[in-house]
């Protein structure tokens, strides 16, 4: 789209040229945090080490949450160039399948660019017995105060008991990718949705304008004209369309939203 693979993002030069680096989470922690998870394989030992290092964490954090905290503290800010971070602990990925050669790890990777996560992928766990055990552990963590822990999903478990073929998936943060491609520091500057609401008038078929109430609920921050020749306007619309994120504008203006979930729902609609 832009004819180049090098960008300046938040003062850092980023090259999207292949190959992208691949490193396991364990090796990344050894490299960036001088921390070996093999030496801190329990919640108590890892919690004690984080306390010694003055790394903040929630008092009720389980092992997976503690690993997530050390990732955020030591690894993520240093992954400026595109990097695949692989082989996560099972406690951090309750829906991912275990590695056959190491049941403490799962078949999962995330891609980081510019110091933040840009995508997530893993092999789906299709063993109902293992999945139930993980859900029950997540429920225990939730009862202890971890609001981000999963709930026991009986319908999902029933479906697994009937059988699910090997499955995998990948999710890409299009908004974060657009931040890098358009060299914008704020995610609020790259989120675009059509100015007219989905559906339209049932009699005439004319598009229905977004109301002020809908605009306020969605967190609209500004109105942007794709014909704008500034650093964001037209390039954002062109990039978003090329990535399939929004339909062709056909001359409509777009609105910038500050709430990512509302934006995602609007784009899907």
């Amino acid at each position: 789209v832009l004819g180049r693979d090098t960008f300046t993002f938040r003062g850092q030069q980023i090259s999207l040229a292949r190959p992208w680096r691949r490193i396991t989470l364990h090796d990344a922690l050894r490299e960036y945090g001088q921390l070996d998870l093999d030496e801190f394989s329990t919640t108590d030992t890892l919690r004690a080490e984080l306390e010694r290092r003055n790394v903040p964490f929630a008092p009720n954090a389980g092992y997976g949450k503690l690993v997530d905290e050390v990732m955020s503290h030591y690894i993520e800010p240093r992954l400026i160039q595109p990097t695949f971070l692989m082989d996560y602990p099972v406690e951090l990925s309750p829906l991912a399948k275990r590695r056959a050669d190491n049941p403490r790890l799962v078949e999962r990777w995330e891609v980081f660019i510019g110091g933040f996560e840009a995508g997530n992928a893993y092999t789906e766990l299709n063993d109902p017995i293992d999945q139930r055990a993980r859900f029950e552990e997540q429920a225990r963590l939730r009862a202890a105060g971890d609001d981000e822990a999963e709930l026991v999903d009986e319908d999902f478990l029933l479906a697994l008991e009937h059988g699910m073929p090997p499955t995998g998936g990948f999710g890409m943060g299009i908004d974060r990718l657009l931040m890098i491609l358009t060299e914008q520091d704020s995610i609020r500057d790259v989120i675009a949705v059509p100015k007219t609401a989905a559906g339209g008038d049932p009699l005439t078929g004319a598009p229905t304008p977004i109301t002020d109430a809908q605009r306020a609920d969605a967190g609209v921050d500004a109105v942007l004209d794709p014909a704008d020749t500034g650093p964001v306007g037209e390039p954002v619309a062109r990039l978003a369309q090329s990535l399939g994120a929004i339909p062709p504008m056909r001359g409509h203006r777009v609105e910038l939203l500050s709430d990512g979930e509302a934006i995602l729902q609007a784009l899907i609609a």
Side-chain angles (χ1 to χ4, degrees):
V1 174
L2 298 177
R4 58 192 172 100
D5 54 24
T6 302
F7 304 87
T8 301
F9 180 67
R10 295 177 177 174
Q12 300 274 1
Q13 288 290 321
I14 296 177
S15 172
L16 301 182
R18 294 181 294 177
W20 291 6
R21 186 188 186 195
R22 302 181 183 187
I23 186 171
T24 67
L25 188 152
H26 280 64
D27 287 344
L29 272 179
R30 293 188 187 103
E31 178 177 338
Y32 297 117
Q34 292 72 54
L35 177 66
D36 190 340
L37 285 182
D38 291 336
E39 298 178 6
F40 305 98
S41 58
T42 67
T43 301
D44 290 340
T45 57
L46 185 54
R47 179 181 287 119
E49 179 63 13
L50 297 192
E51 289 176 345
R52 187 185 72 80
R53 293 169 175 246
N54 294 319
V55 175
F57 60 88
N60 53 10
Y63 189 79
K65 192 70 173 177
L66 294 175
V67 173
D68 190 46
E69 294 293 350
V70 295
M71 281 179 55
S72 299
H73 189 83
Y74 289 114
I75 299 177
E76 292 184 19
R78 293 168 173 81
L79 300 183
I80 304 301
Q81 301 305 317
T83 303
F84 291 105
L85 192 64
M86 309 179 299
D87 297 347
Y88 284 49
V90 65
E91 295 87 352
L92 194 57
S93 310
L95 299 176
K97 192 169 187 175
R98 298 177 190 265
R99 286 181 58 104
D101 58 344
N102 188 343
R104 292 209 60 195
L105 304 177
V106 296
E107 298 177 357
R108 177 188 177 191
W109 54 261
E110 291 181 302
V111 60
F112 291 84
I113 308 174
F116 54 59
E117 175 198 343
N120 179 33
Y122 57 85
T123 304
E124 296 275 359
L125 175 59
N126 58 357
D127 180 340
I129 297 175
D130 190 359
Q131 185 65 81
R132 179 174 291 279
R134 295 202 217 171
F135 273 155
E136 291 174 350
E137 173 62 17
Q138 289 285 300
R140 185 189 67 78
L141 293 172
R142 193 177 186 86
D146 185 353
D147 294 336
E148 297 182 3
E150 299 280 347
L151 296 171
V152 177
D153 189 336
E154 292 292 348
D155 290 337
F156 182 63
L157 290 171
L158 180 62
L160 288 186
E161 290 169 357
H162 281 76
M164 184 174 82
T167 306
F170 168 65
M172 185 74 183
I174 297 298
D175 44 8
R176 297 185 178 188
L177 179 61
L178 285 173
M179 287 175 64
I180 295 171
L181 296 181
T182 58
E183 301 179 338
Q184 300 301 310
D185 290 345
S186 173
I187 198 169
R188 297 173 65 179
D189 291 334
V190 301
I191 298 298
V193 297
K195 183 174 173 54
T196 53
D201 188 290
L203 296 178
T204 66
T208 303
I210 295 176
T211 66
D212 290 340
Q214 290 172 321
R215 186 175 293 108
D217 289 342
V220 170
D221 186 56
V223 177
L224 184 70
D225 191 331
D228 176 23
T229 57
V232 180
E234 192 272 338
V236 168
R238 186 175 71 250
L239 284 167
Q241 291 169 30
S242 70
L243 293 168
I246 56 177
M249 292 298 179
R250 294 186 299 277
H252 291 306
R253 291 188 301 171
V254 296
E255 302 197 22
L256 298 186
L257 308 185
S258 59
D259 186 285
E261 288 300 321
I263 293 157
L264 180 59
Q265 293 171 8
L267 293 180
I268 292 174

